[in-house]
Amino acid sequence: MTTVEIDVLLPRLRELHPTARYELNWSTPVQMLVATILAAQCTDERVNAVTETLFVRYPDAAAFAGADRGELEEAIRQTGFYKQKAKSVQEACQALIADFGGEVPRTVAELVTLPGVARKTANVVLATCFDIPSGIIVDTHVARLSQRMGLSRQRDPDRIEQDLMPLVAEDQWTYFGPAMVLFGRYVCTAKKPACTTCMLQDVCPKIGV
């Protein structure tokens, strides 16, 4: 077998992660949008530690839009690349105020008009906040697993997503993304994947391992 069959993969993912969700903490779609921007090249754990107080200080889009940039930078410094992230967060929230009444829109086309928001972020927000299957999130974990399992030979996240979407039923997209992220984070890790105890060891081609 050169690829893991989706009808084998999905039930086993369901068994391991029956209620898979992204591990970022949020209460409103605006908070999820901000957390996702902050999560670029940063662990969810660190982002959650920062947003615990950040979201008290800046509870909505208007608060982020009107924030003092220097104070916002300091508040998110621990997430790394904080100057660019502060700029993206503030400008995205300003655009939410100007174009969408301060609310997060519910289409990829609208979301990607926001500064600092690309397709991956849009997919995460729509899937997590609204259960809208706009696509399949492809982060570093999903990209790695897709190649190891033979689901895609591509390296570009958008192209990997285009390979995955025909394989996975649309009503499974909002589950498949976070489940694959968790599986990549805790089992099929970048270094020393747990192949010998993996639930897919009998069907995975282990490409590149």
Side-chain angles (χ1 to χ4, degrees):
M1 179 179 288
T2 58
T3 182
V4 176
E5 299 294 335
I6 294 297
D7 60 357
V8 174
L9 174 59
L10 270 171
R12 296 189 188 185
L13 282 176
R14 287 275 183 193
E15 190 173 328
L16 186 63
H17 299 296
T19 58
R21 58 175 289 274
Y22 296 106
E23 295 183 309
L24 293 170
N25 294 334
W26 61 284
S27 298
T28 68
V30 170
Q31 290 182 357
M32 185 63 194
L33 176 63
V34 170
T36 306
I37 293 173
L38 297 181
Q41 296 180 279
C42 183
T43 65
D44 289 355
E45 292 78 11
R46 180 165 294 179
V47 172
N48 288 337
V50 167
T51 57
E52 185 175 2
T53 54
L54 183 74
F55 292 156
V56 173
R57 186 173 180 180
Y58 305 104
D60 53 26
F64 280 109
D68 176 86
R69 179 69 64 83
E71 291 179 1
L72 181 57
E73 288 175 356
E74 285 303 310
I76 66 170
R77 178 186 285 267
Q78 291 182 327
T79 67
F81 304 98
Y82 61 94
K83 287 185 179 294
Q84 180 57 49
K85 288 181 180 179
K87 181 176 185 289
S88 294
V89 165
Q90 186 161 51
E91 291 183 353
C93 287
Q94 287 169 347
L96 286 180
I97 297 294
D99 301 332
F100 302 105
E103 300 297 323
V104 174
R106 298 193 180 199
T107 70
V108 170
E110 290 173 314
L111 275 166
V112 297
T113 66
L114 303 174
V117 176
R119 183 175 175 84
K120 170 190 162 186
T121 297
N123 280 338
V124 171
V125 171
L126 292 174
T128 305
C129 300
F130 307 117
D131 198 31
I132 294 173
S134 57
I136 294 174
I137 174 65
V138 179
D139 72 344
T140 54
H141 298 296
V142 179
R144 180 178 68 252
L145 268 59
S146 297
Q147 292 159 358
R148 283 181 178 174
M149 295 178 183
L151 302 175
S152 176
R153 294 182 179 179
Q154 303 294 332
R155 294 195 174 276
D156 176 75
D158 288 346
R159 292 184 177 183
I160 293 172
E161 183 185 12
Q162 293 306 310
D163 285 344
L164 293 176
M165 288 194 293
L167 298 177
V168 182
E170 186 174 333
D171 63 359
Q172 300 296 313
W173 288 357
T174 59
Y175 169 79
F176 184 77
M180 287 281 277
V181 170
L182 293 176
F183 190 63
R185 184 170 290 163
Y186 299 113
V187 180
C188 193
T189 52
K191 298 179 180 179
K192 298 182 179 179
C195 294
T196 56
T197 57
C198 177
M199 64 180 184
L200 298 171
Q201 64 166 321
D202 59 324
V203 294
C204 182
K206 305 179 182 67
I207 296 170
V209 176

